[in-house]
Amino acid sequence: MRYHRRSLRRMRGAVAVEFGLVAIPLITLLLGIAEFGHAFYEYNTMVKSVRDATRLLSAYDPTDTTNYPLAQAQCLAVYGTTGCTGTPLVTGLTTNMVVVCDQVNTTGCSGQYKNVQTNPAAETINLIEVSIQGYQYNQITGFFNLGNMVFGDISCVMRQVL
């Protein structure tokens, strides 16, 4: 009976050592899953906000400068509202990162947005593109050193309904 008690005490020490060895990779794996999930959440949030901003602009004529809601669309992409109020949807996102490309606004754009021909027999259409460029990822842990990771351009193109 005595021998059995001693071996149980020795086993407790072995279990603690084994747990210590397994805990380090397990915690690293859990932190990696959390960081990846956070990055995916930020990316998905920006994709949805760009889509909403593009949808807003697609209903307006870009040549009508008095009624074209360019600034409101940029605010919608960053804050989720057209009034630029509240906190940004994603930490570090600013309206300067939102680029609008249409038949009037062509700064920082590539491609054709006015009178795009879908096929030779069809009518021509005008396109609107809203993109977020140069967003630097804000990590939730400092463990993986992802602070310098910059997302690729997030963009959406829609047909303008005029």
Side-chain angles (χ1 to χ4, degrees):
M1 192 63 125
R2 269 183 152 165
Y3 178 74
H4 186 63
R5 286 184 189 165
R6 280 189 202 159
S7 70
L8 285 177
R9 285 186 193 147
R10 288 183 190 152
M11 291 293 282
R12 286 184 193 160
V15 169
V17 169
E18 288 174 0
F19 177 74
L21 292 174
V22 172
I24 293 169
L26 185 63
I27 289 171
T28 304
L29 179 67
L30 291 175
L31 287 174
I33 290 169
E35 199 69 61
F36 177 77
H38 183 251
F40 185 74
Y41 166 78
E42 283 193 350
Y43 185 84
N44 194 38
T45 300
M46 288 188 286
V47 165
K48 289 179 181 180
S49 70
V50 163
R51 191 178 314 132
D52 291 341
T54 308
R55 188 176 299 119
L56 172 70
L57 289 176
S58 69
Y60 291 88
D61 181 7
T63 59
D64 184 7
T65 57
T66 57
N67 294 324
Y68 194 59
L70 180 63
Q72 289 89 344
Q74 290 175 322
C75 291
L76 185 62
V78 174
Y79 297 99
T81 65
T82 56
C84 283
T85 56
T87 58
L89 296 172
V90 177
T91 306
L93 185 61
T94 64
T95 55
N96 294 337
M97 296 176 185
V98 179
V99 177
V100 176
C101 299
D102 56 26
Q103 60 180 321
V104 175
N105 304 296
T106 57
T107 305
C109 304
S110 62
Q112 183 179 356
Y113 298 97
K114 180 180 181 183
N115 298 330
V116 178
Q117 199 147 15
T118 54
N119 70 42
E123 65 179 317
T124 59
I125 60 172
N126 295 331
L127 300 177
I128 179 78
E129 177 187 34
V130 177
S131 62
I132 294 177
Q133 299 177 355
Y135 176 75
Q136 188 171 0
Y137 174 65
N138 292 304
Q139 59 186 14
I140 54 175
T141 66
F143 191 73
F144 295 103
N145 193 20
L146 300 174
N148 295 328
M149 185 173 77
V150 177
F151 284 171
D153 294 350
I154 300 168
S155 64
C156 179
V157 178
M158 289 187 185
R159 176 181 175 176
Q160 283 188 316
V161 181
L162 302 175

